[in-house]
Every structure is written in structure tokens, then in C-alpha cells.
Amino acid sequence: MRKGMKIVFAAAAAVAVTGMAGAAWAQRDPAYEAAREAGQVGEQPDGYLGIVGSATPELRALVNSINIKRKAAYTRGASNGATVEQFAFVSGCNLIAKTRPGEKYKGPDGSWKTRGAGAPERDPRCV
């Protein structure tokens, strides 16, 4: 197995173990849940939350706050030779997989998609 793939798999295992503390915090925030349900925000392959369409200052502040917490969680979780970016990417794969029908996510082609009943389209490097 190539070293790069070992790093990604190590990061994936770390994501499973840490339970994504930053993402868990966001799920408890009513403003975040409302923005998700309204299709104003969506998960991105880079592990960060994105704004779908135009944003109010309040929405931008909410997304920035969540992303700061996620970056801190990714920084703590990056280990065994994985970079923060690799850890964030694997987290993004998992967060997109966990979206619910009707929620937004960014597909491999870079466009915003709405999750249907089936699995979301993910980057082919997602395991």
C-alpha cells in the first residue's frame, strides 16, 4: 500500500475514533440545523461547511464559527503522518456520506447538489 493511502486510512480511523467533536457541536446548534434544513449551507469535500448562494452576515458568522471549530478538531486529529488537509478531506467524505435527504453537499464536480434517497456523489478517493 502506498504511503499516501496509509496516511489517508490512518486519518479515516482517527475520524471514526474522535467522533468529529467539531461537527457534533454544530449539530446541536439550532441556527445550524435551520440553515441546513433551509438549504443555505452544505457539506464540502474539504471537510468544511459551505454557504449555498448568498449569505447574510449572521449566516457567514455561523459558518465561520463552525469551520474554525472544525479546523481545530482536524488539527488535533491529524497524526501518524497525516496532514490537516488529509484529515479534513477524509472528514469531508464522512460528513457528506452522513447528509440526510434534502440536505446540500458539494459534489465531485464542484457544484452544489441536494441529497436524494440514495447515496450522495462523493470524490472517488473517499473510502
Side-chain angles (χ1 to χ4, degrees), residues 23 26-27 29-43 49 59 62 66 70 95 98-104:
Q27 265 69 12
D29 185 309
Y32 169 71
E33 284 297 325
R36 275 176 64 146
E37 290 174 11
Q40 297 174 309
V41 298
E43 295 298 342
L49 193 62
L59 182 61
L62 173 69
I66 290 169
R70 286 186 181 188
L95 289 166
K98 291 180 182 180
T99 56
R100 298 179 294 230
E103 292 180 342
K104 299 285 189 182

Side-chain angles (χ1 to χ4, degrees), residues 7-83:
I7 291 170
V8 171
F9 287 129
V15 168
V17 171
T18 62
M20 286 305 304
W25 170 86
Q27 265 69 12
R28 291 190 292 268
D29 185 309
Y32 169 71
E33 284 297 325
R36 275 176 64 146
E37 290 174 11
Q40 297 174 309
V41 298
E43 295 298 342
Q44 301 181 123
D46 64 1
Y48 296 96
L49 193 62
I51 296 173
V52 181
S54 59
T56 64
E58 294 81 13
L59 182 61
R60 188 162 307 285
L62 173 69
V63 169
N64 287 342
S65 174
I66 290 169
N67 285 339
I68 287 168
K69 288 174 178 62
R70 286 186 181 188
K71 177 133 189 191
Y74 300 154
T75 300
R76 286 190 306 272
S79 62
N80 297 326
T83 66

